[in-house]
Amino acid sequence: MFGESGLCPRLGSDCRTPLDCFATLSVNRILAPDTGGFGSLLWRAPRCGAALQSQGIKSGRAGARPSPKQLCARQSSWPVRSVGPKQVARNDAAQVSPNLSGSSSPDRKKRPDKSGPTKALSHVAFPLPLSLAPFPPPRAPCPVQMLPFAPIFLAPDKSMVRTRFAPSPTGFLHVGGARTALFSYLEARRHGGQFVLRVEDTDRERSTEAAIAGIIDGMRWLDLEHDEGPFFQTQRFDRYRQVAHELLAAGKAYHCWCTREELEAMRADQEARGLKPRYNGYWRDRVEAPPAGVTPVIRFKNALHGEVVVDDRVRGRVIFDNAELDDLIIWRSDDSPTYNFCVVVDDVDMRITDVIRGDDHLNNTPRQINIYEALGQTVPRFAHLPMILGPDGAKLSKRHGAVNVLGYREDGYLPNALLNYLVRLGWSYGDQEIFSRAEMIALFSADDVNHSASRFDVEKLRWLNQHYLKTMDPAEIAPELRWHLQQQGMNPDSGPAPEDLIVALRERVHTLKEMAERARVWIDPLTQYDDAAVAKHLTAAAREPLQAAHDALAASANWNAASVHEALAAAATTLGVGLGKVAQPLRVAITGTQVSPSIDHTVYLAGKAEALKRIDAALAKLPA
């Protein structure tokens, strides 16, 4: 029944057999032959129902989902659900970007840079509607495991909070994107909901595989585990095309045949008259024959009057005049969809209830709300997060230090420390500064995010990082320290256990990068000595303390920090001197410097054989 691609043969063609519906539903994981039931489907078509029952599928409660007859390829329309009065945000008209050209994403002023196995989202794969000339015919269907289709606007489970993080892979995961991902993750987890990862890669010129990998690696390093995804918009073009056809058929969108030259002339005329450049709706209601040799775009019929009100969870009520919103392009002449259109289809199909994103998207929101309502869908709740600034009050950029999340890993920060710092950028819970992940989940709410911009303070992050180095279980930190040792060209297996290094060094460093640098003395052979340390401590007077330390350590039956301390204390007692008289030349003998952790840890980390070897080397350097 299935081809090598795993696709139902009915996709994009007429229904050939009653079993095709079963094939479609099965391959998309809506049902399986061994389930013995299909939830809420009612089989109204006798032949299809009988065929499905022959596969062990039973009928269920009536009316909740489409029947097999409705799923037939001859039924090109998808059901829509009526909604109540439109949720309506007044904003400066000059901030709403005009949309005159279909050559690039016209409805998005600037996209921010945004980074497990794919988990299938349950969905019904509807057939593509018949091609509507002059719109380009559908492409070959994508593999279903990449979700080219999704639920045909099934009613969401209103008790389930579903959030998403939707980065564009035009760069790596940056701090602002990581905060958005964290807030979306926490909102879902707090309510026992689901967190979806979607990669908005429709900007094919700027999107890169390296950026996609960087985003996913950054999410994995932060341990922001998604429940579904990652889903890729480039794998869903057939789905967007289907919905664009439906809007055309419903009279809620139209073909625009304006050429680039005509649009430029329109813009020049408006600017000459002191008007804001915008598309004037020339082809909105025209029925004349289109010009030859022009590939049209598709524009959404935006309401001409009224307001759109965004009741934002962070910004409060923001109002936009529909008169300031021109008819945005939803499908370009190069046969690709635009951002504002795709994001609505995705959020509806993926049943997103809460959209948390940067406030640079606020001006996209009224356009998206109008598309939601044209599709008869419930508008999700929006929370637009304020900007993150550098210490100088300017927008955070590379000149302020690392902005790529994985750059903070390279600088030696722990993921727990970075998450704790990010959650406090715009959100607070009283005066509390330190939050475990469990506390973040229990306490966070997007309703409590401050609307003012936050300043990124590297010194505070360093303080937080040292706090976590001091308080976390060394076994949890050890994998990160091993990574840093390897990054600096050391073999973690050739020296002391990373856990022991952490215990010895965490009071003296702020980052794992610093810790790895200091750990080198116990992992690599000692080949260099600090001249000042040698001149001060490796004198003829050091011979007796070093030899006594050597003998005591060699005689020690155990090897740990406590036994090392006992041996050195015994050596000092035998000589009748304080421990410091033994410790200072011994420190230089072991590390080549006069700065190190406590002497017992300094000697213990070297290992017994290596410690005795280094003492012998120091004795050989002493003057006669």
Side-chain angles (χ1 to χ4, degrees):
M1 183 176 296
F2 301 97
E4 291 181 358
S5 66
L7 287 171
C8 169
R10 183 177 60 81
L11 289 176
S13 63
D14 288 343
C15 180
R16 293 198 291 269
T17 72
L19 291 181
D20 281 344
C21 287
F22 167 72
T24 301
L25 296 170
S26 180
V27 75
N28 288 288
R29 302 185 187 182
I30 288 295
L31 51 83
D34 59 354
T35 59
F38 184 130
S40 59
L41 264 182
L42 170 67
W43 308 120
R44 296 195 184 98
R47 289 180 64 242
C48 293
L52 290 166
Q53 289 173 6
S54 73
Q55 302 293 324
I57 306 303
K58 299 176 183 178
S59 62
R61 172 172 62 86
R65 298 192 184 183
S67 69
K69 185 174 182 180
Q70 290 171 318
L71 292 174
C72 178
R74 301 181 190 279
Q75 304 290 327
S76 62
S77 63
W78 35 262
V80 295
R81 187 174 70 259
S82 61
V83 295
K86 108 173 142 176
Q87 295 179 348
V88 281
R90 184 171 310 279
N91 202 19
D92 184 4
Q95 294 183 4
V96 182
S97 57
N99 174 23
L100 292 177
S101 171
S103 60
S104 61
S105 180
D107 45 356
R108 192 175 189 184
K109 295 171 70 175
K110 181 180 180 182
R111 288 193 197 167
D113 294 333
K114 306 179 184 170
S115 95
T118 299
K119 299 181 182 179
L121 174 66
S122 298
H123 59 284
V124 178
F126 272 49
L128 296 178
L130 297 178
S131 177
L132 299 177
F135 196 68
R139 300 171 181 171
C142 311
V144 286
Q145 61 267 28
M146 298 306 293
L147 295 186
F149 303 98
I152 303 307
F153 303 162
L154 300 178
D157 177 0
K158 294 184 178 180
S159 66
M160 172 69 75
V161 170
R162 289 174 61 87
T163 64
R164 46 76 161 177
F165 176 51
S168 296
T170 55
F172 296 99
L173 180 62
H174 59 76
V175 166
R179 182 185 64 169
T180 299
L182 173 62
F183 285 10
S184 300
Y185 169 90
L186 294 176
E187 187 74 14
R189 292 289 178 266
R190 178 173 185 250
H191 295 281
Q194 294 178 319
F195 175 54
V196 178
L197 176 60
R198 182 173 76 228
V199 179
E200 296 185 341
D201 57 344
T202 53
D203 188 341
R204 289 173 286 188
E205 291 184 359
R206 298 175 60 215
S207 298
T208 67
E209 292 298 323
I212 293 173
I215 290 169
I216 294 174
D217 287 346
M219 295 284 286
R220 184 179 295 116
W221 179 64
L222 293 172
D223 195 23
L224 297 179
E225 182 182 3
H226 49 273
D227 301 294
E228 295 173 1
F231 303 135
F232 297 85
Q233 286 187 331
T234 50
Q235 299 295 334
R236 288 173 46 80
F237 273 29
D238 286 325
R239 174 65 177 137
Y240 307 138
R241 182 180 286 105
Q242 179 185 5
V243 179
H245 277 282
E246 297 294 343
L247 289 173
L248 282 170
K252 297 177 180 180
Y254 61 95
H255 288 106
C256 171
W257 304 84
C258 288
T259 63
R260 180 183 296 275
E261 292 73 23
E262 289 172 330
L263 293 172
E264 290 175 351
M266 186 186 304
R267 176 187 294 271
D269 177 68
Q270 291 167 339
E271 290 177 342
R273 292 186 289 142
L275 302 176
K276 184 182 74 173
R278 52 181 288 132
Y279 177 65
N280 63 10
Y282 181 85
W283 285 98
R284 182 180 174 109
D285 297 308
R286 290 186 178 272
V287 294
E288 64 192 63
V294 178
T295 302
V297 299
I298 296 180
R299 290 184 182 270
F300 173 71
K301 273 190 176 181
N302 196 77
L304 298 175
H305 308 289
E307 297 174 334
V308 182
V309 177
V310 182
D311 286 316
D312 194 83
R313 300 176 67 184
V314 176
R315 299 285 297 270
R317 174 161 290 203
V318 187
I319 303 175
F320 296 85
D321 290 325
N322 273 318
E324 297 295 330
L325 306 174
D326 59 358
D327 292 347
L328 77 155
I329 294 171
I330 62 174
W331 204 279
R332 303 184 185 95
S333 58
D334 65 358
D335 193 26
S336 65
T338 60
Y339 165 77
N340 276 321
F341 176 58
C342 294
V343 75
V344 172
V345 175
D346 287 342
D347 284 344
V348 170
D349 281 352
M350 297 174 188
R351 294 165 290 149
I352 302 302
T353 61
D354 292 79
V355 174
I356 300 174
R357 58 189 181 184
D359 61 7
D360 53 327
H361 289 279
L362 181 60
N363 287 332
N364 291 325
T365 305
R367 300 180 182 278
Q368 294 169 7
I369 287 177
N370 285 340
I371 298 176
Y372 277 108
E373 295 181 345
L375 297 173
Q377 297 303 307
T378 300
V379 178
R381 297 193 300 173
F382 290 98
H384 289 93
L385 307 178
M387 184 181 299
I388 299 177
L389 306 176
D392 57 357
K395 183 177 180 180
L396 189 66
S397 65
K398 291 181 180 179
R399 67 187 179 87
H400 295 112
V403 290
N404 172 9
V405 163
L406 293 178
Y408 287 97
R409 184 187 193 189
E410 293 169 0
D411 288 344
Y413 294 97
L414 289 164
N416 283 356
L418 185 58
L419 288 175
N420 193 153
Y421 184 73
L422 290 177
V423 80
R424 291 284 285 109
L425 286 180
W427 175 82
S428 63
Y429 186 77
D431 295 328
Q432 186 171 340
E433 292 287 350
I434 309 298
F435 293 88
S436 67
R437 184 176 295 244
E439 287 176 318
M440 292 185 206
I441 291 172
L443 300 174
F444 178 82
S445 172
D447 295 323
D448 298 329
V449 175
N450 194 301
H451 69 274
S452 301
S454 303
R455 295 200 182 201
F456 196 93
D457 185 346
V458 176
E459 289 305 312
K460 186 172 182 180
L461 175 58
R462 283 172 58 82
W463 173 81
L464 265 177
N465 201 60
Q466 187 179 48
H467 167 82
Y468 278 95
L469 286 174
K470 291 179 178 180
T471 58
M472 283 180 64
D473 184 343
E476 295 182 57
I477 303 173
E480 283 295 308
L481 178 57
R482 290 182 65 89
W483 184 86
H484 279 278
L485 293 172
Q486 292 167 341
Q487 292 299 110
Q488 295 187 29
M490 289 176 268
N491 179 3
D493 298 322
S494 66
E499 292 85 348
D500 291 333
L501 289 168
I502 292 164
V503 171
L505 294 170
R506 60 184 174 182
E507 297 287 341
R508 296 171 171 266
V509 299
H510 287 86
T511 69
L512 286 170
K513 186 176 181 180
E514 296 171 15
M515 185 179 288
E517 291 168 350
R518 296 198 181 196
R520 184 179 294 277
V521 70
W522 293 287
I523 297 175
D524 290 349
L526 181 61
T527 59
Q528 293 183 337
Y529 293 81
D530 177 67
D531 292 338
V534 170
K536 184 175 181 179
H537 297 291
L538 293 189
T539 63
R543 184 175 300 278
E544 191 175 13
L546 285 177
Q547 189 62 58
H550 183 284
D551 295 343
L553 293 170
S556 179
N558 300 315
W559 192 258
N560 52 52
S563 64
V564 167
H565 181 82
E566 291 174 3
L568 297 180
T573 300
T574 299
L575 295 174
V577 299
L579 183 58
K581 294 293 185 180
V582 176
Q584 281 304 99
L586 184 57
R587 192 185 309 277
V588 178
I590 298 297
T591 67
T593 71
Q594 51 188 332
V595 179
S596 74
S598 63
I599 192 60
D600 45 352
H601 277 100
T602 297
V603 176
Y604 163 67
L605 292 174
K608 185 173 183 178
E610 181 65 20
L612 296 176
K613 178 181 174 182
R614 292 187 183 190
I615 295 172
D616 286 336
L619 286 168
K621 293 176 69 73
L622 297 181

